[in-house]
Amino acid sequence: MKQGDLNRLAVFCLTVCLAIGGVAVAADASSDDLVPMVVNLLLDKDRDMRALGLQQVREAAKGPAATRRFVALLPKLPPDGQAALLDALATRGDTTARPAVLEMLHSRQEAVRAAAVRALGALGNAADVPLLVRTLDAAGSEKAAARTSLVQLMGPDVTAALVGQMKHSPAETKVKLLAVLGARRARDTIPAILKAALDDDADVRTAAMRVLGQLAKPKHIPAMLKGLLKARPGPERDWAEKAVMFVCKRIPQASQRARPLLEAWKGLNAADQVSVLPTLGRVGGPASLKIVAEAIADKDPRHHAAGVAAICYWPDASVAPQLIALARSEPDAPRRLLALRALIRVAALPDGRSNAQRLVLLKKAMSMATGDDDRNYVIKRANAIRSIETLRFVAPYLGQPAFAQQACATVVELAHHRELREPNQAEFHRALDVVIRTSKDPGVVDRAKRYQRGQT
Amino acid sequence: MSRVIQTTRRDFLKKASLTVAAPYVITTAALGAQGRPPASQRIVMAGIGIGNMGSGDQKSFTGRRDVQYVAVCDVRKQVGEAAKGRVDRHYKNHDCKVYHDFRDVLARPDIDAVHVATPDHWHALIVIAACRAGKDVYCQKPETRTLREGPLMIAAARRYSRVVSGGSQRVLEDYRKTVDQCWGGELGTIKSINVNVGPLSQPCNLPAEPVPPGMDWDMWLGPAPWAPYNHSRCDGNYSTGGNSWRSYRDYSGGGMTDWGAHHFGGATFAVDVRELQPVEVVYNNQQGKEFLTYRYPTGLLLYHNHPGMQNLQVVGTPGEKRPPKAVPTYKGHGGIYGDFLYCVKTREKPFRDIERAVNTIVLAHMGIIAYDLKRSLRWDRAKQEFTGDEVANRMLDRARRQPWQL
Amino acid sequence: MMWYQTGTCLAMATAPAALSGAALAADPPPDAAAVNKAFEALKSFDWGTDQKLLKPIDDAVMAAHSNAALQRELEPRLAAVLKTGASRDAKDFVCRKLMLIGTAASVPVLAELLADNDHSHMARYALERIPAPEAASALRDALPKLSGSLKIGVIGSLGVRRDAASVSALASLLSDADAKIASAAMCALGDTGNSEAARALSACTKKASKEVHPALADALLVTAERLLADGKKAEAIAIYKSLGGEDQPKLIRLAATHGLLVAAGKKE
């Protein structure tokens, strides 16, 4: 090592070669010299050498003293170097770096500010929540970084700070904060989220119900129903109903899933009970079916309509007889179609019935279908019933132009399952031949050819 | 190197090493639609082993705007040509090159990163050779075929500062509910978790069949013992019960390693021991029902096929809540592929960094040995050997067929 | 054969080496007649033959792990097959079993196969994993008699064994006219990774042909890692410094820098 090289090392002006030499000299001296070696590398002109230095910041030279040395470099680096070092300091996880990170939030470079915001997620605390919440409304990459940091930020008071921010924020920010609470799985904030489910703003209500669908427990269903009832018909109501359904479906015993909803339903007034009927349908179960059947039979058109909607949401095929009856004899044509489509949906569901039973019901639905769209829907749903009889059911449609494309897709989907295809090679071979000749979808043709060659 | 170098027809590594900083070489025709990063900022990639999993990986990488996909490699001519067709159709040109020898891919100085989806017995050799050639690597799971291979892959990645990602997307994506419960502290202190996966692979003695045209059979076997061609020996389907290379011991650990990479990976991530390796594996046999208990240095137990327990069933501490921890996730955008590419750019460790992938697959390999020997084993992570069990230590690795060496 | 006639030794196979108080299963006792039948089957065993015919030998080999007498009986019986005209598949099977229970006693017959194109690999399959020093000696002694791929295979096996006694033999190959053999020897010395190997590798840096430079650099880097792991920090640093010059490819300089960082972070 030449003296001149050492001097250049001292002023952090190294070529790649000098970096190597400088590092070697430092290593000779003492293991404590790792930090100056890293500092040199961070200032190197070569990108790969700098990457080595950043790797050390992330993983080596532990302790606050080293962190302070690295932090001190921030003002000396160009913007991309600052951003990279901030990211590395975040991974390093030493909160000693937090004050410097806060400083960098004032950078004139967006990339640097975004990196500082990202770093706060790992290095910040509850005191940084207001700043991060404000940044949710920033432009560009800072916004996404703020959202990520608010999800990652740890500490005992963070969720309380988030809830506190929600109280005085505009609706748009509330929506973002609710998503953050959901991503944090912040169950301790469920009371606040339930309150938001009654907000005057529809977007806030929807966001709150979606989060409740992820986090709430059966005991929260009565309160969730208040939110559901406040939801406007359409997508908002749809989401609210699904949220309640998700909570019920998390109950491990299938027989108990409807119980909390039914108990809450009983406590509602008559009008609200009608409004909640479709939700009962989404959850299903024998006790709910009794209520729904009564509603369908009711002469009050509102009750009847809600009952039909409920049964059309049913999660299994236990209501097939009722759906068949409705599809045949419901006076209102749109509701008749709704019932037929529900029948097609539940017919193929894997709900414990044999393949043969499922196919019989699907064929029944086909016999009741009056339009090509519905028939195509039947052919599409057939792909869920993995049996050779299904192939035999679908194969004739390959030759009918109105159904050929959907039939091709279903045949290929059935052929995908090797355990079905291999024992019935000859039949699949014939059907796939037709698919290759008929399908207009290159992806379907490609798959058909692969399956014919015995590939997956 | 070796091993690879020793056997190369060209001195690929020398060329690669000398030219690692050379600018990317992309033809004008390869330049894509507007809005893509300029060619100089794209990651130039190639695929090695481009069949079932490889073709899926290839589609994912070619679909990325920050990737320029330039070459495919497969020992089966037709498979390589089909892959070239897909790439060329994607870019609307004819530029994708086809190779049947991975060394020729690694010798190209313009290639920054490769994805590897060969049968498992090739993984370590190609990954290490790629690191030595200065390439970053996305390697399909299971990343190793023997216990000895893992530390050598990690060492090569670290030595050359390469980004090497394992290939299980399911670790993060498939068991999210369990992950969230454990990291969220809802289950209290985690005491155990169970993984149900199998079966173990078996020896293969299939009869000889004519080698089909376009198949380089010797290269398919590579470091594995010589055996005659048979279509079932080398079929890339996902079966582990026969009729595929995944069923046979020379090429795979069977379901134990294949799905094990997913399930063990998901389990160790959920209970946050992905940086650790167990200190012992206890072989249990209850009335003919075999299962394993892995014990971690933290005291946590990980069961394999515990009777009566479901896959990824967690036993926590009832009534106890722990402070939540932020769940690690992919960097960048686009799942595990986006995570890898992000790290190629930033030089960070990917979510399935090779060391974590190895920590996962160690469980499968240890388990296979414990089941084979029907006895419990102690594991010394620092020495990477079993303590006091000479026979088990013989099973840490297997000699590779010449001229291949790690 | 004594081991299956008396049953005394078989009882040893059931002795558990329990960890954590876990109950262990007893190995199923090998059935003598079945094992004899399996050895008969081995004579005509070939690709496509039903593998179940050999299962009794598999079971006996597993039982032999914890039964020294059984092992002593089984090993020569397996080794003897290697001297017969049994098929390649049958001999491969035997080598796989000797990999598990072979001792110095099997080394001579395995060593004879090292020069055989068809059997060299599976002979190493056993020899590479048999802990007895005789196995390493046999590999080492085979080096002068081999060339090409077979020699490269044996060199690699010595590297895997990290056989210190083979350093000088491997060092003598560093200037081999066949660059592939020289490169293989470099890699094997890297795997061995002791001070003597480091000296041998360092000594050839000046005279090594350009063709072998990548292998040499990698071997030196591997050696430095092993020296560092063994607490020989100064020796490791010397190697890293030697690879940091501008005459080295950038990838190697990066690796050397990384090595120096690791060394610097490591306490003496």
Side-chain angles (χ1 to χ4, degrees):
Chain A
M1 186 88 187
K2 295 174 185 172
Q3 187 57 46
D5 292 345
L6 281 170
N7 292 339
R8 290 160 74 189
L9 177 69
V11 295
F12 307 122
C13 186
L14 301 175
T15 63
V16 169
C17 178
L18 288 170
I20 296 275
V23 168
V25 169
D28 282 340
S30 146
S31 61
D32 292 335
D33 286 335
L34 176 61
V35 174
M37 292 166 63
V38 176
V39 168
N40 290 348
L41 285 170
L42 292 173
L43 293 162
D44 201 285
K45 284 193 291 188
D46 184 274
R47 188 182 65 171
D48 293 316
M49 289 293 175
R50 291 198 302 273
L52 270 184
L54 291 168
Q55 181 202 357
Q56 297 295 308
V57 173
R58 286 191 289 269
E59 298 174 5
K62 296 290 181 195
T67 302
R68 280 190 284 273
R69 294 280 301 275
F70 300 144
V71 159
L73 283 178
L74 279 168
K76 302 175 189 170
L77 294 171
D80 60 340
Q82 289 175 330
L85 182 54
L86 284 165
D87 283 336
L89 287 166
T91 306
R92 182 179 176 84
D94 183 353
T95 54
T96 308
R98 178 174 168 268
V101 171
L102 291 170
E103 281 292 312
M104 299 310 287
L105 289 169
H106 303 298
S107 168
R108 293 162 67 179
Q109 300 286 332
E110 181 190 322
V112 175
R113 292 196 305 273
V117 172
R118 279 197 299 275
L120 271 188
L123 307 176
N125 55 45
D128 300 320
V129 168
L131 186 151
L132 288 170
V133 171
R134 283 198 301 279
T135 314
L136 283 174
D137 297 325
S141 54
E142 288 170 83
K143 189 167 140 179
R147 200 260 183 196
T148 305
S149 284
L150 283 169
V151 173
Q152 288 180 340
L153 202 61
M154 287 295 140
D157 303 323
V158 173
T159 52
L162 285 165
V163 169
Q165 286 292 309
M166 216 159 63
K167 284 176 189 160
H168 310 293
S169 297
E172 194 184 340
T173 307
K174 278 185 187 171
V175 169
K176 291 171 187 167
L177 285 171
L178 284 162
V180 165
L181 293 175
R184 292 178 65 94
R185 298 183 64 77
R187 284 219 160 88
D188 54 329
T189 65
I190 285 177
I193 304 172
L194 284 167
K195 200 174 166 190
L198 301 173
D199 198 278
D200 290 337
D201 186 278
D203 290 341
V204 173
R205 291 197 302 270
T206 303
M209 287 302 281
R210 288 173 83 143
V211 174
L212 289 167
Q214 299 165 31
L215 302 184
K217 296 193 169 176
K219 68 179 179 185
H220 299 120
I221 284 178
M224 283 181 75
L225 288 185
K226 289 180 187 165
L228 185 149
L229 289 164
K230 190 160 184 180
R232 290 176 305 196
E236 187 191 349
R237 175 64 67 94
D238 208 42
W239 263 113
E241 290 178 355
K242 281 180 185 168
V244 173
M245 178 191 73
F246 290 146
V247 176
C248 292
K249 288 209 163 174
R250 282 202 294 272
I251 297 171
Q253 305 91 338
S255 62
Q256 298 297 308
R257 282 180 192 149
R259 194 179 52 79
L261 177 58
L262 279 168
E263 282 173 9
W265 182 83
K266 284 172 190 163
L268 300 174
N269 63 41
D272 289 347
Q273 281 185 339
V274 174
S275 294
V276 176
L277 274 179
T279 313
L280 284 184
R282 288 180 189 270
V283 178
S288 300
L289 183 55
K290 192 163 171 281
I291 295 165
V292 169
E294 284 170 10
I296 292 171
D298 202 303
K299 287 181 182 160
D300 182 327
R302 277 191 61 244
H303 288 208
H304 175 74
V308 172
I311 207 155
C312 289
Y313 282 135
W314 217 260
D316 57 52
S318 62
V319 295
Q322 290 89 336
L323 291 171
I324 290 169
L326 283 169
R328 277 185 177 147
S329 52
E330 162 66 30
D332 180 73
R335 277 187 217 128
R336 217 164 44 235
L337 186 59
L338 204 62
L340 176 65
R341 294 226 136 201
L343 178 67
I344 297 168
R345 177 178 62 81
V346 300
L349 284 176
D351 54 2
R353 291 167 298 140
S354 69
N355 284 338
Q357 288 171 315
R358 292 158 68 202
L359 189 58
V360 163
L361 192 55
L362 197 64
K363 286 179 177 174
K364 176 83 180 169
M366 183 62 107
S367 72
M368 295 171 67
T370 53
D372 284 354
D373 283 354
D374 296 327
R375 293 193 184 98
N376 267 317
Y377 185 35
V378 170
I379 296 167
K380 183 179 180 184
R381 291 291 294 152
N383 74 20
I385 308 173
R386 296 175 200 164
S387 73
I388 187 63
E389 286 74 22
T390 311
L391 177 68
R392 290 168 190 158
F393 167 62
V394 172
Y397 294 102
L398 290 169
Q400 301 183 37
F403 311 114
Q405 295 308 309
Q406 182 55 60
C408 286
T410 296
V411 167
V412 163
E413 198 54 44
L414 290 169
H416 172 76
H417 302 285
R418 188 179 274 259
E419 71 283 0
L420 172 62
R421 186 179 76 223
E422 288 190 341
N424 304 290
Q425 216 166 6
E427 275 187 80
F428 269 103
H429 202 86
R430 282 195 297 277
L432 290 170
D433 259 348
V434 182
V435 169
I436 291 165
R437 288 199 308 270
T438 309
S439 177
K440 293 173 184 166
D441 182 338
V444 167
V445 173
D446 183 53
R447 288 178 73 191
K449 286 178 178 171
R450 286 210 321 268
Y451 300 152
Q452 274 207 329
R453 291 195 295 265
Q455 297 170 341
T456 49
Chain B
M1 148 144 49
S2 60
R3 305 124 196 224
V4 165
I5 285 181
Q6 297 151 12
T7 58
T8 45
R9 285 174 280 113
R10 297 196 275 150
D11 188 0
F12 77 94
L13 197 148
K14 178 182 65 181
K15 289 180 183 173
S17 302
L18 287 169
T19 53
V20 69
Y24 302 144
V25 180
I26 301 176
T27 63
T28 308
L31 297 176
Q34 284 185 341
R36 292 187 69 191
S40 62
Q41 288 176 22
R42 282 179 231 156
I43 297 162
V44 181
M45 285 196 73
I48 298 171
I50 207 81
N52 278 351
M53 289 308 300
S55 63
D57 292 341
Q58 174 244 300
K59 283 177 191 166
S60 297
F61 283 120
T62 47
R64 296 278 310 202
R65 300 172 76 81
D66 49 356
V67 164
Q68 188 70 38
Y69 202 97
V70 298
V72 291
C73 176
D74 204 287
V75 298
R76 298 158 299 176
K77 190 167 186 289
Q78 297 90 329
V79 173
E81 292 294 341
K84 170 184 165 56
R86 289 193 300 272
V87 176
D88 286 350
R89 277 196 297 278
H90 177 82
Y91 290 123
K92 298 181 174 60
N93 62 25
H94 303 286
D95 292 354
C96 182
K97 298 282 182 281
V98 187
Y99 301 91
H100 92 282
D101 187 326
F102 71 93
R103 293 167 293 187
D104 293 330
V105 175
L106 299 184
R108 278 183 58 163
D110 60 323
I111 290 174
D112 302 307
V114 293
H115 67 88
V116 178
T118 59
D120 305 349
H121 64 284
W122 266 113
H123 284 175
L125 209 144
I126 296 175
V127 168
I128 293 171
C131 290
R132 287 168 175 153
K135 314 298 184 197
D136 296 322
V137 191
Y138 176 89
C139 179
Q140 263 300 338
K141 48 69 34 183
E143 293 77 6
T144 65
R145 184 62 210 92
T146 72
L147 282 164
R148 176 173 170 264
E149 290 174 347
L152 297 179
M153 292 164 84
I154 297 165
R158 303 291 184 257
R159 184 181 311 137
Y160 293 107
S161 298
R162 292 302 96 195
V163 174
V164 181
S165 172
S168 172
Q169 77 289 354
R170 295 179 188 273
V171 168
L172 179 64
E173 296 165 26
D174 277 21
Y175 320 104
R176 197 56 207 241
K177 187 178 162 192
T178 308
V179 168
D180 285 343
Q181 284 178 328
C182 294
W183 285 73
E186 295 164 26
L187 302 175
T189 303
I190 307 299
K191 291 178 176 169
S192 67
I193 188 165
N194 179 59
V195 166
N196 291 336
V197 75
L200 275 57
S201 55
Q202 300 298 318
C204 180
N205 192 47
L206 290 163
E209 293 175 353
V211 179
M215 159 68 96
D216 184 344
W217 180 238
D218 191 69
M219 198 68 175
W220 189 93
L221 288 169
W226 184 87
Y229 173 85
N230 181 291
H231 73 282
S232 289
R233 187 185 285 276
C234 58
D235 193 307
N237 73 70
Y238 302 113
S239 160
T240 50
N243 201 32
S244 71
W245 59 258
R246 285 181 173 83
S247 312
Y248 301 122
R249 191 59 72 92
D250 280 342
Y251 325 113
S252 167
M256 184 74 166
T257 54
D258 197 52
W259 271 93
H262 294 314
H263 291 339
F264 283 123
T268 52
F269 177 52
V271 300
D272 196 14
V273 291
R274 65 186 177 144
E275 312 292 353
L276 305 177
Q277 293 182 2
V279 292
E280 69 175 353
V281 53
V282 178
Y283 171 82
N284 309 280
N285 190 326
Q286 289 180 357
Q287 288 89 44
K289 171 67 185 169
E290 295 176 299
F291 69 98
L292 302 175
T293 311
Y294 299 89
R295 188 167 64 79
Y296 276 85
T298 57
L300 179 124
L301 302 178
L302 187 153
Y303 299 111
H304 175 252
N305 285 357
H306 191 293
M309 284 184 84
Q310 293 173 349
N311 192 36
L312 265 75
Q313 184 175 333
V314 179
V315 177
T317 306
E320 186 195 356
K321 300 285 179 209
R322 306 273 303 171
K325 297 181 289 183
V327 182
T329 188
Y330 298 138
K331 301 180 182 80
H333 301 286
I336 195 167
Y337 301 104
D339 180 71
F340 169 69
L341 295 171
Y342 179 93
C343 293
V344 167
K345 293 170 200 163
T346 65
R347 314 312 297 167
E348 292 175 61
K349 284 182 182 166
F351 180 81
R352 285 305 281 168
D353 174 61
I354 184 64
E355 189 161 359
R356 291 182 188 133
V358 166
N359 289 343
T360 290
I361 211 63
V362 154
L363 294 164
H365 293 314
M366 285 174 67
I368 289 170
I369 295 172
Y371 280 126
D372 276 354
L373 295 176
K374 297 187 184 303
R375 63 175 178 245
S376 304
L377 304 164
R378 290 188 199 280
W379 179 241
D380 185 328
R381 182 182 185 178
K383 293 182 180 170
Q384 286 290 300
E385 64 183 33
F386 297 106
T387 304
D389 197 317
E390 184 237 279
V391 179
N393 282 332
R394 292 185 188 211
M395 300 162 88
L396 292 172
D397 197 31
R398 58 189 62 173
R400 281 154 194 82
R401 193 164 64 103
Q402 60 278 356
W404 303 104
Q405 294 294 329
L406 287 176
Chain C
M1 305 293 278
M2 184 192 293
W3 58 267
Y4 55 78
Q5 285 168 345
T6 63
T8 312
C9 300
L10 296 180
M12 294 167 64
T14 66
L19 291 178
S20 301
L24 292 179
D27 290 327
D31 177 275
V35 173
N36 285 339
K37 202 173 161 189
F39 269 101
E40 268 308 302
L42 197 53
K43 290 178 184 169
S44 57
F45 188 79
D46 210 338
W47 307 108
T49 310
D50 185 357
Q51 293 181 109
K52 290 194 191 100
L53 295 171
L54 305 186
K55 188 166 184 307
I57 300 177
D58 285 325
D59 294 341
V61 165
M62 285 301 167
H65 291 324
S66 44
N67 184 334
L70 173 55
Q71 189 278 333
R72 281 195 297 274
E73 295 287 342
L74 203 52
E75 183 183 1
R77 215 172 161 190
L78 285 163
V81 176
L82 298 178
K83 294 180 180 170
T84 70
S87 70
R88 178 175 187 169
D89 193 18
K91 288 184 179 177
D92 283 2
F93 173 84
V94 165
C95 289
R96 289 173 193 269
K97 302 301 130 184
L98 289 176
M99 178 259 212
L100 295 170
I101 61 163
T103 67
S106 296
V107 167
V109 66
L110 288 165
E112 281 181 31
L113 299 177
L114 287 172
D116 184 317
N117 270 320
D118 281 355
H119 298 295
S120 185
H121 170 229
M122 293 310 285
R124 285 193 296 109
Y125 200 92
L127 287 169
E128 192 174 297
R129 307 308 302 170
I130 293 173
E134 288 85 348
S137 299
L139 289 164
R140 194 162 58 239
D141 294 345
L143 285 175
K145 303 166 202 164
L146 300 174
S147 62
S149 272
L150 298 190
K151 189 167 191 164
I152 287 169
V154 169
I155 291 168
S157 287
L158 286 167
V160 171
R161 291 183 66 102
R162 300 189 65 191
D163 182 44
S166 296
V167 169
S168 60
L170 292 169
S172 70
L173 300 173
L174 292 176
S175 53
D176 198 285
D178 183 340
K180 292 174 183 172
I181 289 185
S183 296
M186 288 166 185
C187 294
L189 284 170
D191 285 338
T192 306
N194 59 16
S195 300
E196 194 188 349
R199 280 194 292 277
L201 288 165
S202 298
C204 79
T205 49
K206 296 252 160 55
K207 57 190 174 188
S209 69
K210 281 186 176 176
E211 212 174 349
V212 299
H213 268 174
L216 180 57
D218 188 69
L220 281 164
L221 289 165
V222 173
T223 301
E225 288 163 20
R226 297 200 184 282
L227 289 170
L228 203 52
D230 290 343
K232 295 173 180 172
K233 186 170 166 178
E235 289 177 59
I237 287 174
I239 290 174
Y240 287 132
K241 285 175 72 176
S242 75
L243 294 170
E246 274 182 293
D247 55 332
Q248 294 290 342
K250 183 178 173 186
L251 186 66
I252 301 301
R253 283 186 278 131
L254 268 176
T257 308
H258 177 262
L260 287 169
L261 289 163
V262 175
K266 204 172 170 80
K267 298 287 179 190
E268 292 284 4

